[in-house]
PDB file of all heavy atoms in Angstrom:
ATOM      1  N   SER A   1       0.862  -1.244  -0.008  1.00 50.00           N
ATOM      2  CA  SER A   1       0.001  -0.003  -0.029  1.00 50.00           C
ATOM      3  C   SER A   1       0.835   1.282  -0.017  1.00 50.00           C
ATOM      4  O   SER A   1       1.957   1.256   0.639  1.00 50.00           O
ATOM      5  CB  SER A   1      -0.914  -0.017   1.246  1.00 50.00           C
ATOM      6  OG  SER A   1      -1.891  -0.979   1.076  1.00 50.00           O
ATOM      7  N   ALA A   2       0.433   2.180  -0.746  1.00 52.00           N
ATOM      8  CA  ALA A   2       1.129   3.476  -0.702  1.00 52.00           C
ATOM      9  C   ALA A   2       0.195   4.701  -0.712  1.00 52.00           C
ATOM     10  O   ALA A   2      -0.754   4.609  -1.345  1.00 52.00           O
ATOM     11  CB  ALA A   2       2.032   3.572  -2.080  1.00 52.00           C
ATOM     12  N   ILE A   3       0.550   5.629   0.041  1.00 55.00           N
ATOM     13  CA  ILE A   3      -0.274   6.824   0.156  1.00 55.00           C
ATOM     14  C   ILE A   3       0.329   7.857  -0.811  1.00 55.00           C
ATOM     15  O   ILE A   3       1.522   8.076  -0.690  1.00 55.00           O
ATOM     16  CB  ILE A   3      -0.436   7.350   1.531  1.00 55.00           C
ATOM     17  CG1 ILE A   3      -1.158   6.305   2.441  1.00 55.00           C
ATOM     18  CG2 ILE A   3      -1.151   8.689   1.584  1.00 55.00           C
ATOM     19  CD1 ILE A   3      -1.241   6.769   3.883  1.00 55.00           C
ATOM     20  N   ILE A   4      -0.424   8.420  -1.605  1.00 57.00           N
ATOM     21  CA  ILE A   4       0.163   9.477  -2.531  1.00 57.00           C
ATOM     22  C   ILE A   4      -0.255  10.832  -1.847  1.00 57.00           C
ATOM     23  O   ILE A   4      -1.403  11.142  -1.540  1.00 57.00           O
ATOM     24  CB  ILE A   4      -0.539   9.480  -3.921  1.00 57.00           C
ATOM     25  CG1 ILE A   4      -0.339   8.111  -4.560  1.00 57.00           C
ATOM     26  CG2 ILE A   4      -0.005  10.590  -4.823  1.00 57.00           C
ATOM     27  CD1 ILE A   4      -1.149   7.874  -5.778  1.00 57.00           C
ATOM     28  N   PHE A   5       0.762  11.657  -1.646  1.00 56.00           N
ATOM     29  CA  PHE A   5       0.555  13.019  -1.202  1.00 56.00           C
ATOM     30  C   PHE A   5       0.911  14.015  -2.292  1.00 56.00           C
ATOM     31  O   PHE A   5       1.960  13.796  -2.968  1.00 56.00           O
ATOM     32  CB  PHE A   5       1.408  13.315   0.061  1.00 56.00           C
ATOM     33  CG  PHE A   5       0.999  12.502   1.321  1.00 56.00           C
ATOM     34  CD1 PHE A   5       1.710  11.506   1.691  1.00 56.00           C
ATOM     35  CD2 PHE A   5       0.026  13.050   2.052  1.00 56.00           C
ATOM     36  CE1 PHE A   5       1.362  10.739   2.771  1.00 56.00           C
ATOM     37  CE2 PHE A   5      -0.367  12.342   3.237  1.00 56.00           C
ATOM     38  CZ  PHE A   5       0.343  11.234   3.575  1.00 56.00           C
ATOM     39  N   PHE A   6       0.211  15.003  -2.487  1.00 58.00           N
ATOM     40  CA  PHE A   6       0.442  15.972  -3.573  1.00 58.00           C
ATOM     41  C   PHE A   6       0.140  17.358  -3.122  1.00 58.00           C
ATOM     42  O   PHE A   6      -0.983  17.570  -2.528  1.00 58.00           O
ATOM     43  CB  PHE A   6      -0.272  15.643  -4.828  1.00 58.00           C
ATOM     44  CG  PHE A   6      -0.105  16.569  -5.903  1.00 58.00           C
ATOM     45  CD1 PHE A   6       1.066  16.681  -6.648  1.00 58.00           C
ATOM     46  CD2 PHE A   6      -1.076  17.504  -6.230  1.00 58.00           C
ATOM     47  CE1 PHE A   6       1.252  17.543  -7.615  1.00 58.00           C
ATOM     48  CE2 PHE A   6      -0.960  18.448  -7.261  1.00 58.00           C
ATOM     49  CZ  PHE A   6       0.316  18.461  -7.906  1.00 58.00           C
ATOM     50  N   ARG A   7       0.995  18.218  -3.265  1.00 58.00           N
ATOM     51  CA  ARG A   7       0.825  19.739  -2.942  1.00 58.00           C
ATOM     52  C   ARG A   7       0.837  20.533  -4.314  1.00 58.00           C
ATOM     53  O   ARG A   7       1.902  20.521  -4.909  1.00 58.00           O
ATOM     54  CB  ARG A   7       1.872  20.229  -2.077  1.00 58.00           C
ATOM     55  CG  ARG A   7       1.846  19.687  -0.674  1.00 58.00           C
ATOM     56  CD  ARG A   7       2.980  20.391   0.195  1.00 58.00           C
ATOM     57  NE  ARG A   7       3.174  19.592   1.386  1.00 58.00           N
ATOM     58  CZ  ARG A   7       2.524  19.706   2.488  1.00 58.00           C
ATOM     59  NH1 ARG A   7       1.511  20.500   2.579  1.00 58.00           N
ATOM     60  NH2 ARG A   7       2.857  18.985   3.560  1.00 58.00           N
ATOM     61  N   PRO A   8      -0.299  20.898  -4.809  1.00 55.00           N
ATOM     62  CA  PRO A   8      -0.300  21.614  -6.142  1.00 55.00           C
ATOM     63  C   PRO A   8       0.462  22.845  -6.031  1.00 55.00           C
ATOM     64  O   PRO A   8       0.409  23.636  -5.118  1.00 55.00           O
ATOM     65  CB  PRO A   8      -1.767  21.860  -6.323  1.00 55.00           C
ATOM     66  CG  PRO A   8      -2.470  21.771  -5.042  1.00 55.00           C
ATOM     67  CD  PRO A   8      -1.604  20.865  -4.132  1.00 55.00           C
ATOM     68  N   ARG A   9       1.375  23.015  -7.047  1.00 56.00           N
ATOM     69  CA  ARG A   9       2.124  24.188  -7.255  1.00 56.00           C
ATOM     70  C   ARG A   9       1.998  24.667  -8.712  1.00 56.00           C
ATOM     71  O   ARG A   9       1.722  23.887  -9.580  1.00 56.00           O
ATOM     72  CB  ARG A   9       3.532  23.970  -6.974  1.00 56.00           C
ATOM     73  CG  ARG A   9       3.830  23.793  -5.445  1.00 56.00           C
ATOM     74  CD  ARG A   9       5.318  23.579  -5.254  1.00 56.00           C
ATOM     75  NE  ARG A   9       5.432  22.284  -4.525  1.00 56.00           N
ATOM     76  CZ  ARG A   9       6.315  21.304  -4.810  1.00 56.00           C
ATOM     77  NH1 ARG A   9       7.264  21.551  -5.739  1.00 56.00           N
ATOM     78  NH2 ARG A   9       6.317  20.236  -4.113  1.00 56.00           N
ATOM     79  N   LYS A  10       2.240  25.955  -8.893  1.00 51.00           N
ATOM     80  CA  LYS A  10       2.188  26.428 -10.229  1.00 51.00           C
ATOM     81  C   LYS A  10       2.975  25.628 -11.252  1.00 51.00           C
ATOM     82  O   LYS A  10       2.569  25.478 -12.322  1.00 51.00           O
ATOM     83  CB  LYS A  10       2.484  27.871 -10.269  1.00 51.00           C
ATOM     84  CG  LYS A  10       2.265  28.596 -11.579  1.00 51.00           C
ATOM     85  CD  LYS A  10       2.510  30.080 -11.490  1.00 51.00           C
ATOM     86  CE  LYS A  10       2.260  30.779 -12.831  1.00 51.00           C
ATOM     87  NZ  LYS A  10       2.503  32.160 -12.725  1.00 51.00           N
ATOM     88  N   PHE A  11       4.226  25.233 -10.813  1.00 46.00           N
ATOM     89  CA  PHE A  11       5.059  24.539 -11.712  1.00 46.00           C
ATOM     90  C   PHE A  11       5.256  23.134 -11.434  1.00 46.00           C
ATOM     91  O   PHE A  11       6.311  22.491 -11.513  1.00 46.00           O
ATOM     92  CB  PHE A  11       6.421  25.276 -11.744  1.00 46.00           C
ATOM     93  CG  PHE A  11       6.276  26.754 -12.258  1.00 46.00           C
ATOM     94  CD1 PHE A  11       6.426  27.773 -11.271  1.00 46.00           C
ATOM     95  CD2 PHE A  11       6.021  27.113 -13.493  1.00 46.00           C
ATOM     96  CE1 PHE A  11       6.247  29.060 -11.601  1.00 46.00           C
ATOM     97  CE2 PHE A  11       5.867  28.379 -13.879  1.00 46.00           C
ATOM     98  CZ  PHE A  11       5.988  29.427 -12.983  1.00 46.00           C
ATOM     99  N   SER A  12       4.247  22.404 -10.956  1.00 57.00           N
ATOM    100  CA  SER A  12       4.312  20.962 -10.592  1.00 57.00           C
ATOM    101  C   SER A  12       4.686  20.125 -11.835  1.00 57.00           C
ATOM    102  O   SER A  12       4.059  20.435 -12.884  1.00 57.00           O
ATOM    103  CB  SER A  12       3.082  20.451  -9.942  1.00 57.00           C
ATOM    104  OG  SER A  12       2.820  21.054  -8.732  1.00 57.00           O
ATOM    105  N   LYS A  13       5.623  19.271 -11.749  1.00 64.00           N
ATOM    106  CA  LYS A  13       5.971  18.389 -12.773  1.00 64.00           C
ATOM    107  C   LYS A  13       4.853  17.384 -13.025  1.00 64.00           C
ATOM    108  O   LYS A  13       4.233  16.863 -12.119  1.00 64.00           O
ATOM    109  CB  LYS A  13       7.236  17.617 -12.427  1.00 64.00           C
ATOM    110  CG  LYS A  13       7.808  16.792 -13.561  1.00 64.00           C
ATOM    111  CD  LYS A  13       9.089  16.066 -13.029  1.00 64.00           C
ATOM    112  CE  LYS A  13       9.540  15.168 -14.103  1.00 64.00           C
ATOM    113  NZ  LYS A  13      10.799  14.380 -13.504  1.00 64.00           N
ATOM    114  N   ASN A  14       4.579  17.178 -14.306  1.00 73.00           N
ATOM    115  CA  ASN A  14       3.417  16.330 -14.685  1.00 73.00           C
ATOM    116  C   ASN A  14       3.718  15.733 -15.999  1.00 73.00           C
ATOM    117  O   ASN A  14       3.874  16.414 -17.003  1.00 73.00           O
ATOM    118  CB  ASN A  14       2.088  17.121 -14.780  1.00 73.00           C
ATOM    119  CG  ASN A  14       0.892  16.369 -14.827  1.00 73.00           C
ATOM    120  OD1 ASN A  14       0.818  15.178 -14.326  1.00 73.00           O
ATOM    121  ND2 ASN A  14      -0.150  16.824 -15.509  1.00 73.00           N
ATOM    122  N   PRO A  15       3.834  14.415 -16.143  1.00 82.00           N
ATOM    123  CA  PRO A  15       3.587  13.325 -15.119  1.00 82.00           C
ATOM    124  C   PRO A  15       4.910  13.148 -14.262  1.00 82.00           C
ATOM    125  O   PRO A  15       5.814  13.713 -14.597  1.00 82.00           O
ATOM    126  CB  PRO A  15       3.426  12.112 -16.030  1.00 82.00           C
ATOM    127  CG  PRO A  15       4.118  12.354 -17.273  1.00 82.00           C
ATOM    128  CD  PRO A  15       4.003  13.834 -17.536  1.00 82.00           C
ATOM    129  N   PHE A  16       4.698  12.417 -13.142  1.00 81.00           N
ATOM    130  CA  PHE A  16       5.784  12.151 -12.275  1.00 81.00           C
ATOM    131  C   PHE A  16       5.799  10.775 -11.758  1.00 81.00           C
ATOM    132  O   PHE A  16       4.812  10.131 -11.660  1.00 81.00           O
ATOM    133  CB  PHE A  16       5.963  13.165 -11.247  1.00 81.00           C
ATOM    134  CG  PHE A  16       4.702  13.462 -10.354  1.00 81.00           C
ATOM    135  CD1 PHE A  16       4.573  12.744  -9.228  1.00 81.00           C
ATOM    136  CD2 PHE A  16       3.709  14.210 -10.827  1.00 81.00           C
ATOM    137  CE1 PHE A  16       3.414  12.925  -8.412  1.00 81.00           C
ATOM    138  CE2 PHE A  16       2.520  14.376 -10.010  1.00 81.00           C
ATOM    139  CZ  PHE A  16       2.409  13.771  -8.853  1.00 81.00           C
ATOM    140  N   ASN A  17       7.032  10.325 -11.380  1.00 85.00           N
ATOM    141  CA  ASN A  17       7.249   8.902 -10.901  1.00 85.00           C
ATOM    142  C   ASN A  17       7.084   8.957  -9.356  1.00 85.00           C
ATOM    143  O   ASN A  17       7.702   9.756  -8.676  1.00 85.00           O
ATOM    144  CB  ASN A  17       8.726   8.524 -11.283  1.00 85.00           C
ATOM    145  CG  ASN A  17       9.023   7.111 -10.847  1.00 85.00           C
ATOM    146  OD1 ASN A  17       8.440   6.659  -9.897  1.00 85.00           O
ATOM    147  ND2 ASN A  17       9.933   6.456 -11.544  1.00 85.00           N
ATOM    148  N   ILE A  18       6.179   8.164  -8.910  1.00 84.00           N
ATOM    149  CA  ILE A  18       5.981   8.122  -7.464  1.00 84.00           C
ATOM    150  C   ILE A  18       6.707   6.956  -6.768  1.00 84.00           C
ATOM    151  O   ILE A  18       6.620   6.815  -5.575  1.00 84.00           O
ATOM    152  CB  ILE A  18       4.533   8.138  -7.032  1.00 84.00           C
ATOM    153  CG1 ILE A  18       3.785   6.886  -7.560  1.00 84.00           C
ATOM    154  CG2 ILE A  18       3.789   9.406  -7.487  1.00 84.00           C
ATOM    155  CD1 ILE A  18       2.476   6.755  -6.909  1.00 84.00           C
ATOM    156  N   GLY A  19       7.415   6.160  -7.578  1.00 85.00           N
ATOM    157  CA  GLY A  19       8.110   5.018  -7.001  1.00 85.00           C
ATOM    158  C   GLY A  19       8.255   3.914  -8.029  1.00 85.00           C
ATOM    159  O   GLY A  19       7.734   3.942  -9.136  1.00 85.00           O
ATOM    160  N   ASN A  20       9.065   2.910  -7.566  1.00 89.00           N
ATOM    161  CA  ASN A  20       9.251   1.687  -8.501  1.00 89.00           C
ATOM    162  C   ASN A  20       8.767   0.459  -7.651  1.00 89.00           C
ATOM    163  O   ASN A  20       8.967   0.408  -6.460  1.00 89.00           O
ATOM    164  CB  ASN A  20      10.690   1.531  -8.874  1.00 89.00           C
ATOM    165  CG  ASN A  20      11.174   2.670  -9.715  1.00 89.00           C
ATOM    166  OD1 ASN A  20      10.469   3.147 -10.604  1.00 89.00           O
ATOM    167  ND2 ASN A  20      12.353   3.212  -9.491  1.00 89.00           N
ATOM    168  N   ILE A  21       8.233  -0.453  -8.458  1.00 90.00           N
ATOM    169  CA  ILE A  21       7.802  -1.720  -7.944  1.00 90.00           C
ATOM    170  C   ILE A  21       8.776  -2.753  -8.621  1.00 90.00           C
ATOM    171  O   ILE A  21       8.860  -2.787  -9.816  1.00 90.00           O
ATOM    172  CB  ILE A  21       6.335  -2.071  -8.147  1.00 90.00           C
ATOM    173  CG1 ILE A  21       5.489  -1.005  -7.505  1.00 90.00           C
ATOM    174  CG2 ILE A  21       6.027  -3.515  -7.799  1.00 90.00           C
ATOM    175  CD1 ILE A  21       4.045  -1.059  -7.936  1.00 90.00           C
ATOM    176  N   VAL A  22       9.402  -3.623  -7.796  1.00 91.00           N
ATOM    177  CA  VAL A  22      10.247  -4.710  -8.433  1.00 91.00           C
ATOM    178  C   VAL A  22       9.535  -6.082  -8.111  1.00 91.00           C
ATOM    179  O   VAL A  22       9.297  -6.388  -7.012  1.00 91.00           O
ATOM    180  CB  VAL A  22      11.582  -4.720  -7.791  1.00 91.00           C
ATOM    181  CG1 VAL A  22      12.473  -5.808  -8.434  1.00 91.00           C
ATOM    182  CG2 VAL A  22      12.320  -3.298  -8.049  1.00 91.00           C
ATOM    183  N   VAL A  23       9.252  -6.783  -9.278  1.00 93.00           N
ATOM    184  CA  VAL A  23       8.575  -8.092  -9.200  1.00 93.00           C
ATOM    185  C   VAL A  23       9.681  -9.082  -9.430  1.00 93.00           C
ATOM    186  O   VAL A  23      10.332  -9.070 -10.444  1.00 93.00           O
ATOM    187  CB  VAL A  23       7.430  -8.193 -10.134  1.00 93.00           C
ATOM    188  CG1 VAL A  23       6.780  -9.542 -10.122  1.00 93.00           C
ATOM    189  CG2 VAL A  23       6.389  -7.062  -9.954  1.00 93.00           C
ATOM    190  N   SER A  24       9.743 -10.007  -8.540  1.00 91.00           N
ATOM    191  CA  SER A  24      10.566 -11.242  -8.777  1.00 91.00           C
ATOM    192  C   SER A  24       9.757 -12.487  -8.597  1.00 91.00           C
ATOM    193  O   SER A  24       9.304 -12.691  -7.459  1.00 91.00           O
ATOM    194  CB  SER A  24      11.742 -11.255  -7.766  1.00 91.00           C
ATOM    195  OG  SER A  24      12.609 -12.292  -8.019  1.00 91.00           O
ATOM    196  N   SER A  25       9.452 -13.176  -9.589  1.00 92.00           N
ATOM    197  CA  SER A  25       8.618 -14.338  -9.552  1.00 92.00           C
ATOM    198  C   SER A  25       9.096 -15.484 -10.413  1.00 92.00           C
ATOM    199  O   SER A  25       9.434 -15.338 -11.574  1.00 92.00           O
ATOM    200  CB  SER A  25       7.184 -13.860 -10.003  1.00 92.00           C
ATOM    201  OG  SER A  25       6.315 -14.997  -9.929  1.00 92.00           O
ATOM    202  N   SER A  26       9.057 -16.666  -9.898  1.00 93.00           N
ATOM    203  CA  SER A  26       9.418 -17.912 -10.579  1.00 93.00           C
ATOM    204  C   SER A  26       8.237 -18.521 -11.358  1.00 93.00           C
ATOM    205  O   SER A  26       8.407 -19.442 -11.921  1.00 93.00           O
ATOM    206  CB  SER A  26      10.127 -18.889  -9.647  1.00 93.00           C
ATOM    207  OG  SER A  26       9.169 -19.227  -8.662  1.00 93.00           O
ATOM    208  N   THR A  27       7.006 -17.924 -11.115  1.00 95.00           N
ATOM    209  CA  THR A  27       5.808 -18.423 -11.772  1.00 95.00           C
ATOM    210  C   THR A  27       5.117 -17.270 -12.524  1.00 95.00           C
ATOM    211  O   THR A  27       5.478 -16.107 -12.406  1.00 95.00           O
ATOM    212  CB  THR A  27       4.911 -19.057 -10.722  1.00 95.00           C
ATOM    213  OG1 THR A  27       4.366 -17.963  -9.839  1.00 95.00           O
ATOM    214  CG2 THR A  27       5.495 -20.144  -9.886  1.00 95.00           C
ATOM    215  N   SER A  28       4.037 -17.547 -13.241  1.00 96.00           N
ATOM    216  CA  SER A  28       3.266 -16.514 -13.876  1.00 96.00           C
ATOM    217  C   SER A  28       2.640 -15.691 -12.797  1.00 96.00           C
ATOM    218  O   SER A  28       2.397 -16.054 -11.687  1.00 96.00           O
ATOM    219  CB  SER A  28       2.180 -17.196 -14.685  1.00 96.00           C
ATOM    220  OG  SER A  28       2.763 -17.946 -15.715  1.00 96.00           O
ATOM    221  N   TRP A  29       2.387 -14.358 -13.108  1.00 96.00           N
ATOM    222  CA  TRP A  29       1.856 -13.440 -12.195  1.00 96.00           C
ATOM    223  C   TRP A  29       1.071 -12.316 -12.845  1.00 96.00           C
ATOM    224  O   TRP A  29       1.252 -12.190 -14.079  1.00 96.00           O
ATOM    225  CB  TRP A  29       3.044 -12.791 -11.417  1.00 96.00           C
ATOM    226  CG  TRP A  29       4.114 -12.091 -12.224  1.00 96.00           C
ATOM    227  CD1 TRP A  29       5.094 -12.734 -12.858  1.00 96.00           C
ATOM    228  CD2 TRP A  29       4.189 -10.765 -12.582  1.00 96.00           C
ATOM    229  NE1 TRP A  29       5.821 -11.908 -13.666  1.00 96.00           N
ATOM    230  CE2 TRP A  29       5.289 -10.627 -13.444  1.00 96.00           C
ATOM    231  CE3 TRP A  29       3.394  -9.680 -12.174  1.00 96.00           C
ATOM    232  CZ2 TRP A  29       5.634  -9.410 -13.927  1.00 96.00           C
ATOM    233  CZ3 TRP A  29       3.824  -8.421 -12.782  1.00 96.00           C
ATOM    234  CH2 TRP A  29       4.967  -8.326 -13.576  1.00 96.00           C
ATOM    235  N   SER A  30       0.391 -11.596 -12.091  1.00 96.00           N
ATOM    236  CA  SER A  30      -0.277 -10.358 -12.528  1.00 96.00           C
ATOM    237  C   SER A  30      -0.338  -9.396 -11.473  1.00 96.00           C
ATOM    238  O   SER A  30      -0.107  -9.747 -10.237  1.00 96.00           O
ATOM    239  CB  SER A  30      -1.706 -10.621 -13.078  1.00 96.00           C
ATOM    240  OG  SER A  30      -2.532 -11.093 -12.072  1.00 96.00           O
ATOM    241  N   ILE A  31      -0.582  -8.136 -11.677  1.00 95.00           N
ATOM    242  CA  ILE A  31      -0.623  -7.109 -10.650  1.00 95.00           C
ATOM    243  C   ILE A  31      -2.070  -6.484 -10.634  1.00 95.00           C
ATOM    244  O   ILE A  31      -2.647  -6.285 -11.692  1.00 95.00           O
ATOM    245  CB  ILE A  31       0.406  -5.942 -10.941  1.00 95.00           C
ATOM    246  CG1 ILE A  31       1.755  -6.544 -10.682  1.00 95.00           C
ATOM    247  CG2 ILE A  31       0.096  -4.746 -10.009  1.00 95.00           C
ATOM    248  CD1 ILE A  31       2.872  -5.403 -10.740  1.00 95.00           C
ATOM    249  N   ILE A  32      -2.561  -6.266  -9.512  1.00 94.00           N
ATOM    250  CA  ILE A  32      -3.857  -5.627  -9.232  1.00 94.00           C
ATOM    251  C   ILE A  32      -3.625  -4.359  -8.549  1.00 94.00           C
ATOM    252  O   ILE A  32      -2.924  -4.296  -7.573  1.00 94.00           O
ATOM    253  CB  ILE A  32      -4.766  -6.558  -8.398  1.00 94.00           C
ATOM    254  CG1 ILE A  32      -4.879  -7.976  -9.074  1.00 94.00           C
ATOM    255  CG2 ILE A  32      -6.126  -5.878  -8.133  1.00 94.00           C
ATOM    256  CD1 ILE A  32      -5.516  -9.014  -8.205  1.00 94.00           C
ATOM    257  N   VAL A  33      -4.212  -3.254  -8.943  1.00 94.00           N
ATOM    258  CA  VAL A  33      -4.075  -1.975  -8.477  1.00 94.00           C
ATOM    259  C   VAL A  33      -5.511  -1.398  -8.054  1.00 94.00           C
ATOM    260  O   VAL A  33      -6.374  -1.406  -9.044  1.00 94.00           O
ATOM    261  CB  VAL A  33      -3.330  -0.933  -9.304  1.00 94.00           C
ATOM    262  CG1 VAL A  33      -3.171   0.436  -8.709  1.00 94.00           C
ATOM    263  CG2 VAL A  33      -1.961  -1.495  -9.780  1.00 94.00           C
ATOM    264  N   GLU A  34      -5.673  -1.013  -6.826  1.00 93.00           N
ATOM    265  CA  GLU A  34      -6.915  -0.426  -6.400  1.00 93.00           C
ATOM    266  C   GLU A  34      -6.612   0.983  -5.817  1.00 93.00           C
ATOM    267  O   GLU A  34      -5.628   1.148  -5.073  1.00 93.00           O
ATOM    268  CB  GLU A  34      -7.631  -1.282  -5.378  1.00 93.00           C
ATOM    269  CG  GLU A  34      -8.120  -2.569  -5.970  1.00 93.00           C
ATOM    270  CD  GLU A  34      -8.843  -3.389  -4.945  1.00 93.00           C
ATOM    271  OE1 GLU A  34      -8.143  -3.840  -4.053  1.00 93.00           O
ATOM    272  OE2 GLU A  34     -10.036  -3.540  -5.066  1.00 93.00           O
ATOM    273  N   SER A  35      -7.589   1.863  -6.022  1.00 94.00           N
ATOM    274  CA  SER A  35      -7.519   3.233  -5.498  1.00 94.00           C
ATOM    275  C   SER A  35      -8.609   3.413  -4.443  1.00 94.00           C
ATOM    276  O   SER A  35      -9.746   3.103  -4.785  1.00 94.00           O
ATOM    277  CB  SER A  35      -7.649   4.311  -6.564  1.00 94.00           C
ATOM    278  OG  SER A  35      -7.981   5.467  -6.104  1.00 94.00           O
ATOM    279  N   LYS A  36      -8.297   3.836  -3.281  1.00 93.00           N
ATOM    280  CA  LYS A  36      -9.313   4.173  -2.278  1.00 93.00           C
ATOM    281  C   LYS A  36     -10.281   5.207  -2.712  1.00 93.00           C
ATOM    282  O   LYS A  36     -11.519   5.188  -2.354  1.00 93.00           O
ATOM    283  CB  LYS A  36      -8.659   4.612  -0.964  1.00 93.00           C
ATOM    284  CG  LYS A  36      -9.589   4.841   0.147  1.00 93.00           C
ATOM    285  CD  LYS A  36      -8.871   5.290   1.411  1.00 93.00           C
ATOM    286  CE  LYS A  36      -9.982   5.615   2.520  1.00 93.00           C
ATOM    287  NZ  LYS A  36      -9.335   6.202   3.687  1.00 93.00           N
ATOM    288  N   ASN A  37      -9.814   6.176  -3.460  1.00 94.00           N
ATOM    289  CA  ASN A  37     -10.679   7.311  -3.908  1.00 94.00           C
ATOM    290  C   ASN A  37     -11.047   7.263  -5.384  1.00 94.00           C
ATOM    291  O   ASN A  37     -11.249   8.276  -6.048  1.00 94.00           O
ATOM    292  CB  ASN A  37      -9.895   8.653  -3.623  1.00 94.00           C
ATOM    293  CG  ASN A  37      -9.754   8.833  -2.112  1.00 94.00           C
ATOM    294  OD1 ASN A  37     -10.611   8.530  -1.339  1.00 94.00           O
ATOM    295  ND2 ASN A  37      -8.669   9.351  -1.685  1.00 94.00           N
ATOM    296  N   SER A  38     -11.023   5.986  -5.935  1.00 96.00           N
ATOM    297  CA  SER A  38     -11.403   5.915  -7.366  1.00 96.00           C
ATOM    298  C   SER A  38     -10.656   6.741  -8.372  1.00 96.00           C
ATOM    299  O   SER A  38     -11.212   7.276  -9.309  1.00 96.00           O
ATOM    300  CB  SER A  38     -12.943   6.125  -7.534  1.00 96.00           C
ATOM    301  OG  SER A  38     -13.706   5.196  -6.698  1.00 96.00           O
ATOM    302  N   GLY A  39      -9.312   6.823  -8.135  1.00 94.00           N
ATOM    303  CA  GLY A  39      -8.600   7.549  -9.053  1.00 94.00           C
ATOM    304  C   GLY A  39      -8.463   9.094  -8.866  1.00 94.00           C
ATOM    305  O   GLY A  39      -8.173   9.861  -9.780  1.00 94.00           O
ATOM    306  N   PHE A  40      -8.888   9.585  -7.680  1.00 92.00           N
ATOM    307  CA  PHE A  40      -8.805  11.031  -7.371  1.00 92.00           C
ATOM    308  C   PHE A  40      -7.859  11.229  -6.230  1.00 92.00           C
ATOM    309  O   PHE A  40      -7.868  10.429  -5.213  1.00 92.00           O
ATOM    310  CB  PHE A  40     -10.264  11.562  -7.035  1.00 92.00           C
ATOM    311  CG  PHE A  40     -11.129  11.705  -8.165  1.00 92.00           C
ATOM    312  CD1 PHE A  40     -11.998  10.625  -8.578  1.00 92.00           C
ATOM    313  CD2 PHE A  40     -11.145  12.910  -8.939  1.00 92.00           C
ATOM    314  CE1 PHE A  40     -12.814  10.787  -9.585  1.00 92.00           C
ATOM    315  CE2 PHE A  40     -12.048  13.028 -10.005  1.00 92.00           C
ATOM    316  CZ  PHE A  40     -12.810  11.960 -10.386  1.00 92.00           C
ATOM    317  N   LEU A  41      -7.056  12.267  -6.280  1.00 89.00           N
ATOM    318  CA  LEU A  41      -6.383  12.727  -5.119  1.00 89.00           C
ATOM    319  C   LEU A  41      -7.354  13.759  -4.431  1.00 89.00           C
ATOM    320  O   LEU A  41      -7.892  14.630  -5.070  1.00 89.00           O
ATOM    321  CB  LEU A  41      -5.071  13.538  -5.566  1.00 89.00           C
ATOM    322  CG  LEU A  41      -4.070  12.679  -6.190  1.00 89.00           C
ATOM    323  CD1 LEU A  41      -2.937  13.562  -6.800  1.00 89.00           C
ATOM    324  CD2 LEU A  41      -3.484  11.681  -5.214  1.00 89.00           C
ATOM    325  N   VAL A  42      -7.605  13.568  -3.036  1.00 91.00           N
ATOM    326  CA  VAL A  42      -8.598  14.269  -2.412  1.00 91.00           C
ATOM    327  C   VAL A  42      -8.011  15.239  -1.382  1.00 91.00           C
ATOM    328  O   VAL A  42      -7.087  14.783  -0.695  1.00 91.00           O
ATOM    329  CB  VAL A  42      -9.576  13.371  -1.687  1.00 91.00           C
ATOM    330  CG1 VAL A  42     -10.632  14.064  -0.883  1.00 91.00           C
ATOM    331  CG2 VAL A  42     -10.289  12.410  -2.679  1.00 91.00           C
TER     332      VAL A  42
END
């Protein structure tokens, strides 16, 4: 789980990297992503 914090500024970089996920798997896999706020920063 990761919490995204954002402070809007006139010159905010967009888009931006909020982090990296490293997957190491010896079998098949998939990733599921869910947003608590349905894709909105509140």
Side-chain angles (χ1 to χ4, degrees):
S1 293
I3 298 176
I4 302 170
F5 292 99
F6 176 72
R7 294 182 194 276
R9 288 183 239 136
K10 187 175 182 181
F11 300 107
S12 292
K13 184 179 175 186
N14 193 30
F16 54 96
N17 184 332
I18 63 168
N20 294 319
I21 297 169
V22 179
V23 178
S24 180
S25 179
S26 60
T27 64
S28 297
W29 57 278
S30 65
I31 289 186
I32 302 166
V33 181
E34 293 182 292
S35 162
K36 180 180 178 185
N37 297 321
S38 300
F40 286 91
L41 296 170
V42 179

